[in-house]
């Protein structure tokens, strides 16, 4: 498991853009209920445009392409109940597909097979990082995964891609300790649920306080049983920008990773903490995401030979997500390409961290000492 490569892996497959979330913006469209059809919030646009910017910017030439493979039923069952897997298989055979579980997470005919490739995408990237084929890498997969709990999908997620990759790494690649860093703006409730009693996986979620799911991801949720201390939640007040997110990295994420010393870091990477996202109210910019990546790479170099595998989660502004993603990939690979034109709006997010933001993060930081040494 010696990471000898300096390359950055990149994974995307066109069929991820064919995962069909239908024509209800979040809730199903309903003529007389007033919900006019439009693209679902979790549409292909954000991810497809991110991929196209990676190509058009020329960054693709600096990246090492990794091909996804399909997860197997056995891979899914390491994180999910057989009932959930069967329900997804059956609904996927229907002419118009079905829903992952909560009524706002639709998928089309054949959606099960696309979800297998998404889970297999981050599995393949994790394999490549562990084997040393690449130093780090980004799997631009769809559908996302971090809200999917063992018994059902939710929040636009069918299966928990990162959880499945973590269990795969432990079962098939001999990895012991894994850290998950989830900076999607919503709570990584599904990943937390899978590993809540498991001391081999440290799950750290930075999220907007009480955003989605409701009442999920409180500071007091720190794991249970043998897993006590191995869940860390950092609920960040709405309106927080780059300084607060950087503070959360330096005060919680980095010290937690130094204490836990994982063999690899998996990242649930959402760009919905951006200042332009419709499904949350945070103010991180593309430069903010670049900075989060820099800090994560610093601590990864210290504790696990730089091994980072990122998996794409949320992010719902099709204009802006591509530039946030480009910044992360540029930083991971050490190359720069285009200037983000939307940095013209960064002044809105340039204010200092506010006292209540600092206090919330300081409160979460107290739990770092609760990670068993
Ligand atoms: Zn999200």
């Amino acid at each position: 498991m010696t990471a000898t490569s300096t390359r950055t892996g990149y994974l995307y497959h066109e069929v991820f853009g064919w995962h069909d979330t239908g024509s209800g913006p979040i809730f199903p469209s309903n003529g007389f209920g007033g919900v006019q059809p439009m693209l679902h919030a979790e549409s292909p646009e954000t991810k497809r445009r991110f991929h196209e910017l990676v190509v058009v910017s020329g960054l693709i030439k600096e990246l090492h392409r990794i091909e996804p493979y399909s997860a197997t039923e056995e891979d899914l069952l390491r994180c999910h109940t057989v009932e959930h897997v069967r329900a997804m298989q059956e609904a996927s055979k229907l002419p118009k597909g079905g829903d992952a579980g909560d009524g706002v997470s639709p998928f089309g005919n054949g959606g099960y097979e696309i979800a297998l490739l998404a889970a297999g995408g981050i599995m393949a990237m994790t394999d490549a990082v562990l084997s040393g084929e690449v130093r780090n890498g980004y799997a631009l997969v769809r559908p996302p995964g971090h809200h999917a709990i063992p018994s059902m999908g939710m929040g636009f997620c069918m299966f928990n891609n990162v959880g499945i990759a973590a269990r795969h790494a432990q079962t098939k690649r001999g990895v012991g300790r894994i850290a998950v860093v989830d900076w999607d703006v919503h709570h990584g409730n599904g990943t937390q649920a899978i590993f809540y009693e498991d001391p081999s996986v440290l799950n750290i979620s930075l999220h907007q306080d009480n955003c989605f799911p409701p009442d999920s991801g409180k500071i007091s949720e720190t794991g249970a049983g043998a897993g006590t201390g191995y869940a860390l939640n950092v609920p960040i007040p709405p309106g927080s920008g780059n300084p607060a997110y950087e503070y959360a990295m330096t005060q919680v994420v980095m010290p937690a990773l130094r204490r836990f010393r994982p063999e690899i870091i998996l990242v649930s990477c959402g760009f919905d903490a951006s200042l332009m996202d419709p499904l949350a109210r945070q103010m991180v910019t593309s430069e903010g995401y670049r900075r989060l990546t820099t800090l994560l790479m610093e601590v990864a170099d210290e504790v696990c030979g730089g091994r980072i595998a990122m998996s794409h989660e949320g992010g719902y502004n099709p204009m802006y997500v591509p530039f946030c993603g480009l910044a992360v990939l540029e930083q991971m690979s050490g190359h720069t390409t285009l200037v983000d034109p939307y940095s013209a709006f960064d002044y809105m997010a340039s204010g200092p961290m506010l006292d209540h933001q600092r206090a919330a993060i300081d409160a979460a930081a107290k739990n770092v000492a609760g990670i068993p040494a």
Side-chain angles (χ1 to χ4, degrees):
M1 290 211 311
T2 307
T4 50
S5 174
T6 57
R7 296 187 296 203
T8 292
Y10 175 70
L11 180 148
Y12 180 73
H13 191 292
E14 279 68 16
V15 84
F16 295 143
W18 296 14
H19 164 57
D20 184 2
T21 45
S23 61
I26 290 178
F27 303 105
S29 57
N30 178 340
F32 291 102
V35 182
Q36 184 177 350
M38 63 180 282
L39 278 181
H40 191 281
E42 205 293 293
S43 83
E45 279 300 277
T46 48
K47 289 79 175 176
R48 190 185 283 149
R49 290 168 62 99
F50 174 7
H51 170 68
E52 292 186 4
L53 187 61
V54 170
V55 174
V56 171
S57 67
L59 187 62
I60 191 81
K61 295 199 232 34
E62 311 294 346
L63 305 174
H64 180 69
R65 283 300 283 266
I66 301 291
E67 291 299 318
Y69 57 81
S70 294
T72 65
E73 196 175 300
E74 183 185 354
D75 296 323
L76 303 184
L77 291 172
R78 293 193 191 104
C79 290
H80 293 286
T81 62
V82 68
E83 292 80 9
H84 175 52
V85 174
R86 293 281 173 269
M88 298 299 95
Q89 289 168 340
E90 291 306 312
S92 179
K93 292 174 189 162
L94 300 174
K96 296 199 173 187
D99 189 277
D102 60 355
V104 299
S105 308
F107 59 88
N109 179 270
Y112 174 72
E113 284 73 21
I114 300 176
L116 291 182
L117 200 66
I122 180 61
M123 288 166 66
M125 188 59 73
T126 303
D127 290 340
V129 171
L130 288 172
S131 72
E133 181 179 356
V134 296
R135 179 174 183 77
N136 54 32
Y138 196 100
L140 176 48
V141 298
R142 182 171 175 268
H146 74 145
H147 292 308
I149 62 175
S151 61
M152 63 181 272
M154 60 185 290
F156 318 152
C157 303
M158 291 175 71
F159 300 115
N160 198 297
N161 303 328
V162 163
I164 291 164
R167 284 276 187 254
H168 162 74
Q170 291 181 320
T171 310
K172 299 291 187 183
R173 298 285 179 266
V175 176
R177 298 158 76 81
I178 296 178
V180 176
V181 175
D182 184 328
W183 64 45
D184 184 283
V185 79
H186 305 106
H187 180 225
N189 64 299
T191 318
Q192 175 173 296
I194 290 166
F195 299 111
Y196 207 57
E197 299 185 26
D198 187 340
S200 70
V201 177
L202 174 70
N203 189 57
I204 310 171
S205 179
L206 313 184
H207 47 268
Q208 182 179 319
D209 189 11
N210 197 20
C211 186
F212 181 85
D215 291 324
S216 184
K218 297 180 194 307
I219 287 175
S220 57
E221 297 168 22
T222 57
T228 300
Y230 296 96
L232 275 185
N233 284 293
V234 191
I236 302 175
S240 297
N242 297 347
Y245 271 78
E246 177 165 347
Y247 192 65
M249 285 295 289
T250 58
Q251 302 303 304
V252 185
V253 177
M254 296 173 80
L257 292 171
R258 288 188 186 109
R259 192 171 170 93
F260 182 71
R261 301 198 74 81
E263 291 161 55
I264 183 172
I265 300 168
L266 305 184
V267 180
S268 272
C269 180
F271 295 116
D272 39 14
S274 89
L275 82 165
M276 295 202 195
D277 200 88
L279 297 192
R281 291 295 175 271
Q282 299 294 39
M283 303 190 78
V284 178
T285 68
S286 61
E287 283 307 304
Y289 281 107
R290 188 189 302 275
R291 181 71 183 141
L292 297 186
T293 306
T294 303
L295 294 171
L296 192 72
M297 290 171 72
E298 276 179 29
V299 70
D301 282 344
E302 287 175 38
V303 303
C304 59
R307 286 188 283 271
I308 299 172
M310 294 202 188
S311 190
H312 195 85
E313 300 281 0
Y316 303 100
N317 185 316
M319 290 190 307
Y320 196 52
V321 162
F323 289 97
C324 296
L326 189 71
V328 167
L329 267 172
E330 284 185 349
Q331 199 61 29
M332 289 177 88
S333 64
H335 296 273
T336 52
T337 58
L338 304 172
V339 173
D340 172 6
Y342 300 102
S343 60
F345 299 121
D346 284 4
Y347 66 91
M348 287 190 284
S350 63
M353 179 167 56
L354 302 176
D355 288 346
H356 72 290
Q357 296 166 347
R358 178 190 300 273
I361 295 164
D362 285 343
K366 293 198 173 84
N367 285 335
V368 172
I371 302 170

